[in-house]
Amino acid sequence: QRRPTVGERLAILDAVRTPAAARTRQAVRIVVARLNLAGDWAVLEGELVDPKGRALDWTRAPHVIP
């Protein structure tokens, strides 16, 4: 395992953020607890929050169970 470069980190977070924002129907920020790479795989542990760092309004995401 290794830590991603800045560019890899941005690409991975963008790849997660876009569908997460679409599914939750609101802007999201990802608070990363851990992000590692192993070969072609990325392991991300974190939390989705709003852009100000507050909890998301899950009532806006009818098809998502938090």
Side-chain angles (χ1 to χ4, degrees):
Q1 288 185 356
R2 67 177 179 85
R3 297 186 75 169
T5 65
V6 172
E8 290 169 328
R9 179 184 169 94
L10 289 174
I12 292 165
L13 294 179
D14 284 345
V16 173
R17 186 180 304 107
T18 300
R23 292 202 58 176
T24 62
R25 297 181 180 175
Q26 57 201 302
V28 299
R29 190 174 117 210
I30 303 166
V31 178
V32 177
R34 179 178 65 171
L35 178 57
N36 292 317
L37 301 179
D40 292 339
W41 289 84
V43 176
L44 169 63
E45 179 183 348
E47 179 181 3
L48 296 176
V49 296
D50 77 5
K52 294 183 179 181
R54 297 178 301 216
L56 293 180
D57 178 0
W58 291 103
T59 63
R60 295 176 61 185
H63 303 293
V64 177
I65 299 171

